[in-house]
């Protein structure tokens, strides 16, 4: 066994990937990069691989391989270049790594995240869409293959930190002993106070201008619509075996309290910190130790006020749709996620108005209800139904 924890960072060129490499670079005595992956930013991938000494990089196709090679600094020994989606899943299961940071955006990250779980790795899960699309399958793989699943989404990481672990928690497929409710906080995004009538003309840049967090564009739009919080409710359901009616969402515009756990005796435990993803990432990399993350102290006196309010489902219809999908079951969750990915992509590329995002999702959920006997017992089943839902959403004439 290596004295280093060897990490594969899947989606290394994204916001979570960059933050992960920043934390790893602070701990050369215990953390080492094994593999990196990217989808379009090959020049950045080459810089990251050269800087971190990665042994392996994974790229999507031959054209990307050539771009990576062209960007590689002359005279330096190059990493092994693996190509394609299967190579991504194989790399997640590779003997060369102990820990996998699953930071690809969207359901595209599911096969690799599942591959890591099936290989019994420490899985740092940022890719919430994997759990939304295949929560049952994923959690079963974690249990059956002895993987160690650590949530990286700041809300779930906060909840994880506030929950009892091991024997004190009870059975893994039941809510932790003594817990009454989970309270997920949400900033409310850039349009928290806007009149919903005024959102018709919203541009991608306005939707991506998050007040507190710096993130990739897809999750930024999801935060604006609050579908992101809906995905997180579904994620919390699977991670913590918690029924929908014991998960509550609270708008907290300052993003200082990252989430809370309410116990049967009335105690409420919360995790607080600056809105910087390096804190949950360092927690996942170091667990059970605490590692320096580069995040500074929280100055509560300077924060002054911490506010909380109940979200308005008229203003944020996507949040209500996610609760509906969770109550309806796994097929509805696949349809919700797939339709959202199609709609957000169309919005970001100027083909769909912002206010049509919930309409596309609603139409896909109605379509899903008309499908009889959908089986989602395997990864192939999930991917096939996900593709059907995407095709439906894409053919609506809206996207
Ligand atoms: N950002 C945050 O603060 C935050 C917080 C909590 C959870 N998350 C979750 O973490 C995940 C990543 O978010 P992010 O903000 O880091 O996203 P991002 O900045 O858009 O980065 C996404 C990464 O995935 C790669 N990628 C995109 N499409 C791919 C595909 N089809 N196949 C393989 N790789 C692909 C991208 O490669 P290229 O860049 O090379 O195209 C990039 O490395 C999401 O699931 C998000 O919900 C993010």
């Amino acid at each position: 066994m290596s004295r280093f924890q060897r990490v594969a960072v899947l989606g290394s060129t994204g916001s979570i990937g960059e933050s992960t490499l920043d934390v790893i670079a602070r701990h050369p005595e215990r953390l080492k990069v094994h593999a990196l992956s990217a989808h379009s930013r090959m020049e950045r991938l080459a810089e990251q691989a050269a800087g971190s000494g990665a042994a392996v990089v994974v790229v999507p196709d031959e054209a990307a391989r050539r771009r990576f090679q062209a960007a590689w600094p002359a005279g330096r020994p190059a990493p092994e270049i693996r190509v394609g989606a299967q190579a991504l899943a194989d790399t997640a299961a590779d003997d060369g790594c102990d820990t996998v940071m699953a930071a690809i955006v969207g359901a595209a990250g599911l096969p690799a995240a599942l591959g890591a779980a099936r290989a019994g790795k420490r899985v740092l899960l940022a890719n919430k869409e994997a759990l939304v699309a295949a929560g049952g399958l994923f959690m079963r793989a974690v249990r059956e293959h002895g993987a160690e699943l650590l949530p990286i989404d700041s809300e779930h990481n906060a909840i994880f930190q506030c929950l009892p672990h091991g024997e004190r928690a009870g059975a893994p497929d039941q809510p932790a002993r003594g817990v009454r409710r989970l309270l997920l906080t949400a900033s409310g995004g850039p349009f928290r106070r806007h009149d919903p009538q005024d959102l018709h003309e919203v541009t991608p840049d306005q939707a991506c201008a998050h007040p507190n967090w710096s993130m990739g564009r897809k999750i930024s739009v999801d935060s604006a619509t609050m579908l992101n919080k809906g995905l997180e409710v579904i994620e919390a359901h699977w991670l913590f075996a918690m029924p929908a009616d014991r998960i509550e969402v609270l708008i907290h515009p300052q993003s200082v309290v990252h989430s809370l756990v309410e116990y049967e005796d009335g105690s409420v435990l919360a995790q607080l910190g600056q809105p910087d993803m390096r804190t949950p990432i360092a927690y996942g990399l170091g667990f059970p130790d605490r590692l320096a993350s580069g995040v500074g102290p929280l100055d509560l006196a300077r924060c002054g006020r911490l506010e909380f309010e109940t979200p308005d489902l008229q203003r944020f219809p996507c949040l209500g749709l996610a609760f509906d999908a969770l109550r309806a079951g796994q097929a509805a969750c696949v349809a919700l996620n797939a339709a959202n990915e199609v709609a957000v992509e169309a919005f970001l590329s100027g083909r769909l108005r912002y206010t049509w995002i919930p309409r596309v999702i609603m139409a896909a959920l109605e379509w899903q209800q008309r499908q009889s006997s959908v089986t989602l017992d395997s990864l192939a089943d999930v991917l096939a139904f996900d593709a059907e839902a995407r095709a439906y959403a894409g053919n609506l004439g809206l996207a």
Side-chain angles (χ1 to χ4, degrees):
M1 170 108 180
S2 164
R3 74 185 172 94
F4 293 102
Q5 189 184 335
R6 299 157 307 166
V7 187
V9 185
L10 307 184
S12 63
T13 46
S15 164
I16 294 287
E18 293 279 6
S19 294
T20 304
L21 291 177
D22 180 281
V23 176
I24 291 174
R26 291 168 193 276
H27 301 280
E29 73 297 346
R30 65 182 284 168
L31 300 171
K32 202 174 169 60
V33 172
H34 169 65
L36 300 173
S37 89
H39 195 61
S40 61
R41 290 177 263 191
M42 292 304 124
E43 293 70 22
R44 183 65 192 134
L45 180 66
E47 285 168 9
Q48 289 181 334
S52 65
V56 173
V57 295
V58 190
V59 304
D61 51 33
E62 288 301 329
R65 180 208 287 272
R66 286 192 292 277
R67 282 179 49 215
F68 179 87
Q69 285 168 328
W72 186 254
R76 297 264 315 254
E80 178 189 344
I81 306 173
R82 299 180 185 167
V83 179
Q86 185 57 49
L88 204 49
D90 293 345
T91 301
D94 196 324
D95 283 345
C97 68
D98 319 290
T99 297
V100 175
M101 166 55 83
I104 290 172
V105 63
L110 169 60
L114 191 61
R118 286 179 174 158
K121 305 289 184 193
R122 170 176 285 199
V123 185
L124 309 185
L125 189 71
N127 177 217
K128 64 191 81 180
E129 296 91 345
L131 266 190
V132 172
L137 205 61
F138 192 87
M139 296 309 291
R140 204 162 56 241
V142 167
R143 283 197 286 274
E144 287 176 2
H145 298 275
E148 186 180 25
L149 180 59
L150 294 167
I152 296 303
D153 227 340
S154 59
E155 295 76 3
H156 306 76
N157 188 268
I159 289 169
F160 184 85
Q161 293 195 39
C162 296
L163 283 174
H165 296 294
E167 285 181 9
R168 284 175 54 223
D173 54 355
Q174 299 290 321
R177 267 206 302 256
V179 172
R180 190 150 61 195
R181 285 186 312 160
L182 304 179
L183 300 136
L184 290 178
T185 53
S187 69
F191 308 132
R192 183 170 61 95
R193 291 274 179 252
H194 282 53
D195 185 331
Q197 306 300 326
D198 295 340
L199 295 180
H200 212 50
E201 303 297 333
V202 158
T203 66
D205 283 347
Q206 287 171 320
C208 289
H210 196 278
N212 307 333
W213 296 93
S214 160
M215 308 183 285
R217 283 172 82 75
K218 190 263 179 183
I219 184 177
S220 296
V221 177
D222 288 351
S223 297
T225 62
M226 281 192 79
L227 194 271
N228 179 52
K229 208 50 53 181
L231 299 179
E232 289 178 5
V233 168
I234 299 170
E235 187 184 8
H237 163 77
W238 287 112
L239 283 171
F240 307 118
M242 191 59 77
D245 57 4
R246 288 166 62 187
I247 304 174
E248 191 173 312
V249 173
L250 267 180
I251 291 196
H252 165 47
Q254 291 79 16
S255 300
V256 165
V257 177
H258 296 311
S259 276
L260 312 93
V261 175
E262 184 185 85
Y263 284 87
E264 294 293 355
D265 63 2
S267 297
V268 178
L269 302 191
Q271 186 260 355
L272 284 69
Q274 289 193 28
D276 187 321
M277 288 306 293
R278 290 177 301 173
T279 296
I281 290 168
Y283 184 87
L285 287 168
F287 184 79
D289 298 340
R290 296 277 181 174
L291 301 184
S293 65
V295 178
L298 177 64
D299 185 344
L300 277 173
R302 215 162 146 215
C303 294
R305 292 167 69 91
L306 296 180
E307 298 158 298
F308 300 91
E309 61 192 60
T310 304
D312 173 358
L313 294 187
Q314 301 293 328
R315 185 184 291 272
F316 294 112
C318 288
L319 180 58
L321 291 173
F323 270 102
D324 292 346
L326 177 55
R327 292 192 174 99
Q330 190 71 69
C333 292
V334 174
L336 171 99
N337 182 63
N340 180 58
E341 288 192 28
V342 169
V344 171
E345 220 289 293
F347 167 65
L348 284 172
S349 56
R351 291 179 288 119
L352 185 77
R353 283 187 191 275
Y354 177 80
T355 43
W356 279 84
I357 295 172
R359 299 184 200 192
V360 174
I361 297 172
M362 205 180 307
L365 289 177
E366 286 166 4
W367 164 83
Q368 178 274 320
Q369 281 171 6
R370 296 193 296 275
Q371 310 306 300
S372 53
S373 65
V374 178
T375 310
L376 296 173
D377 291 339
S378 68
L379 177 61
D381 291 341
V382 172
L383 296 180
F385 191 61
D386 172 82
E388 273 186 63
R390 275 167 208 271
Y392 176 80
N395 286 332
L396 279 172
L398 311 172

